[in-house]
């Protein structure tokens, strides 16, 4: 039996444990930057295992090094473990969230469960590994400041040659492994715009300067950036998600605050949109005589999957002919942003998708109160990532 086949057999034997861990994490979700109990759970898991475990970064990050018995490269495997401010629907699950208003609605519980068991089984085989594996348990993926950025600043990628990550996907069928080359998930910027005019009596608009009217023109003008300034073949979106102008019916509003975000698939597109945002804000000031303060922040980079590494991973998975994996498909670029992109900026990396659709004829979108996954995806994720890891650590490299 090959080493990879032995690993997969061990993972099959550990499937129940993966599911049990996932259910525990699902019942006890924690918001980004507050993952204290999850951190304690991770440390407890590794306590009796013979490995180097350390806390890293300013948050709840946990890093584990598995040193192989033979020399070779260093591969990092990363899973995130934060949850979202979403209330899980009344779904009758025994492991429904016990933390009111918080839910593992993105599947990070599944990521952490499969990676814990995969790490444990890789440790059991460590004498036969050529190279080493760094397990990265990352907090704070969902909310800035990014947990990935923090761990990188603390040195998590020191001496690392490649990084591999995976995300479960409820939009992809169970059994599917998805991949994409090069630009694969959007980069994100967020902005807050405060417009200050002059408040006054609703019956005497000539004595005031209405921030709501200026803000309304601003929202409409912002819609022209993507539609009129960006090549239609480019991926870009701009959303104003909040317009806070709550006042009263007979008073002219002095100040309004707008919040929004933009997504792009190329960093050059981000620069065009940033420049247009600034220009339109100046234009609104000149047109309406208001003050416009723009707070614009680059949030997440575009996720770039190293084409060569991705192709090697995909070829290795196809050759392994893992029975639970029924298709390995380029699913194209994905709209959401993902802070795995910070690792990929520093080091050749790839990010796989693991189909987890429960196939009940309904959609269960990520970040929604009825997000659901088919738990058989845990074993598939562990086998795919574990197989790719052993392929990368092959002695001839
Ligand atoms: Zn998410
Ligand atoms: Zn996620």
């Amino acid at each position: 039996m090959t080493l990879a086949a032995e690993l997969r057999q061990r993972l099959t034997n550990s499937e129940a444990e993966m599911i049990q861990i996932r259910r525990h994490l699902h019942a006890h979700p924690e918001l980004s930057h507050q993952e204290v109990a999850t951190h304690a759970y991770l440390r407890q898991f590794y306590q009796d295992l013979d490995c180097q475990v350390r806390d890293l970064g300013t948050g709840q990050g946990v890093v584990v090094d598995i040193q192989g018995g033979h020399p070779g490269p260093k591969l990092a495997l990363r899973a995130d473990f934060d949850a979202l401010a979403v209330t899980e629907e009344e779904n009758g699950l025994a492991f429904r969230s016990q933390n009111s208003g918080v839910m593992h609605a993105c599947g990070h519980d599944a990521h952490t469960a499969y990676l814990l068991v995969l790490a444990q089984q890789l440790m059991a085989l460590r004498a036969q590994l050529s190279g080493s594996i760094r397990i990265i348990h990352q907090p704070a993926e969902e909310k800035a400041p990014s947990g990935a950025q923090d761990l990188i600043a603390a040195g998590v990628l020191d001496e690392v040659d490649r990084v591999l990550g995976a995300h479960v996907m409820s939009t992809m069928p169970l059994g599917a492994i998805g991949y994409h080359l090069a630009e694969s998930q959007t980069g994100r910027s967020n902005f807050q715009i405060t417009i200050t005019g002059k408040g006054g009596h609703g019956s005497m608009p000539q004595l005031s300067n209405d921030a709501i009217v200026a803000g309304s023109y601003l929202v409409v003008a912002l819609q022209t950036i993507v539609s009129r300034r960006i090549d239609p073949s480019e991926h870009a979106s701009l959303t104003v998600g909040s317009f806070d102008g709550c006042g009263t019916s007979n008073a002219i509003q002095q100040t309004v605050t707008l919040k929004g975000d933009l997504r792009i698939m190329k960093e050059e597109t981000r620069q065009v949109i940033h420049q247009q945002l600034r220009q339109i804000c100046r234009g609104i000031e000149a047109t309406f005589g208001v003050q416009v303060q723009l707070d614009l922040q680059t949030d997440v980079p575009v996720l770039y999957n190293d084409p060569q590494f991705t192709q090697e991973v995909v070829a290795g998975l196809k050759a392994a002919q893992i029975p639970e994996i029924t298709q390995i498909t380029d699913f194209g670029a994905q709209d959401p942003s993902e802070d795995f992109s910070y690792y990929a900026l520093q080091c050749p990396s790839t990010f796989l998708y693991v189909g987890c659709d429960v196939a009940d004829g309904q959609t269960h979108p990520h970040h929604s109160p009825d997000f659901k996954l088919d738990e058989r995806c845990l074993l598939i994720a562990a086998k795919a990532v574990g197989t790719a890891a052993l392929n990368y650590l092959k002695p001839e490299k």
Side-chain angles (χ1 to χ4, degrees), residues 1 44 48 105 121 128 143 158 160 164 176 194 225 237 241 259 262 273 275 277 301 314 317 329 336 378 386-387:
M1 195 191 282
Q44 177 71 32
D48 299 327
Q121 296 308 325
Q128 299 169 70
K143 195 161 183 233
D158 290 355
V160 168
L164 179 58
T194 303
I225 298 179
S237 69
K259 293 178 188 168
L262 59 98
I273 297 178
Q275 197 263 334
L277 257 168
V314 168
L317 288 179
T329 307
L378 296 171
T387 301

Side-chain angles (χ1 to χ4, degrees), residues 106 108 141-142 367:
C106 200
H108 299 183
E141 191 283 325
E142 297 283 3
H367 292 202

